[in-house]
Amino acid sequence: HDSHYPLGLGYLHSYLESLNKNYNVKTQFLNNVSLEICLKTLKEDLLTFRPDVVGISMMTHSRVGAYKLIKLIQKILPDIKIVLGGMHVSVMYCQLAEAYPGVICVVGEGEVTLGDLLERWDNNLPINDVRGIAYHDEDKGEVVVTGGRPLINDLDILPFPKHDLFIWEGKQIAGLLTSRGCPYKCNFCVLDAASRRKVRCRSASNICDEVEHILSSHPSINTVWIHDDAFMIIKERTIEFCKEVVKRGIKTNFI
């Protein structure tokens, strides 16, 4: 209850807000509620917020709930555009595009891809040249997979994820990503579908700026939980981060 929250959604939210397009973005944090409450909450959002686009984060163990949400959206507001993202989608995009025509699947990192999709829809342009997506083409009667999108090499260009969405008064644990990716391809892990066995690291100063932002904005936080795929894989980078923490006198627990 007081640990993990979806940093991926936090990154998408802050990235869309940073595009200066006057996007009105709403993110729901529904990790710890029943499916019944989840669908009821989202139905109310659909009818009151009236979004043009709905993004759904899908992991394998939450896919059934996502399927129900897709059907709910298509039933009550069939003109809304639906974008799926997450690890399950990055692996099973062909199956999902076939099962749900009209839904766009984002393969891999989602920030820039989602921004490109919204820009195309804003200007009534086709999306077939947006890299990193899969969708069912009605004219061709098949799933179209566009070219792979390059990974974001300089993670410092991304705005900090919107922690405010997930941290309530009294919460003690915040989440943090200091890098993305892992160089290995273990047989029990699907990460290579998104990270392609490449590790990209944020700078120590950028990470510590975020930690200081979290601690100053949310006084109840006393622990920062690092969720990297392979935090210590580049030893020199890890030591650089630790030295920056010491240099700045940052006082908090790290997991």
Side-chain angles (χ1 to χ4, degrees), residues 134-146:
Y135 59 93
H136 188 271
D137 188 307
E138 289 186 14
D139 296 330
K140 295 180 179 178
E142 63 184 24
V143 174
V144 172
V145 182
T146 62

Side-chain angles (χ1 to χ4, degrees), residues 98-150:
E98 287 179 353
Y100 300 100
V103 169
I104 309 299
C105 298
V106 173
V107 183
E109 289 178 308
E111 291 92 352
V112 181
T113 304
L114 183 57
D116 283 357
L117 281 170
L118 295 184
E119 182 180 7
R120 298 297 198 288
W121 287 329
D122 275 346
N123 296 288
N124 296 312
L125 296 172
I127 62 170
N128 60 315
D129 63 339
V130 175
R131 300 177 72 177
I133 63 172
Y135 59 93
H136 188 271
D137 188 307
E138 289 186 14
D139 296 330
K140 295 180 179 178
E142 63 184 24
V143 174
V144 172
V145 182
T146 62
R149 178 173 293 279

Side-chain angles (χ1 to χ4, degrees), residues 194-211:
S195 69
R196 304 169 206 166
R197 301 180 71 174
K198 294 180 180 177
V199 179
R200 292 150 294 138
C201 300
R202 297 168 58 189
S203 67
S205 61
N206 183 255
I207 303 164
C208 288
D209 285 347
E210 182 179 353
V211 173

Side-chain angles (χ1 to χ4, degrees), residues 54-104:
V54 174
I56 304 173
S57 176
M58 187 188 296
M59 298 178 74
T60 302
H61 61 263
S62 66
R63 69 192 185 282
V64 174
Y67 299 161
K68 291 179 184 292
L69 177 56
I70 292 169
K71 291 175 182 176
L72 175 66
I73 296 168
Q74 292 179 332
K75 179 181 179 182
I76 64 175
L77 292 170
D79 293 331
I80 288 180
K81 293 177 171 59
I82 302 173
V83 182
L84 304 181
M87 280 308 305
H88 187 79
V89 183
S90 292
V91 178
M92 304 300 293
Y93 51 88
C94 281
Q95 180 199 57
L96 292 166
E98 287 179 353
Y100 300 100
V103 169
I104 309 299

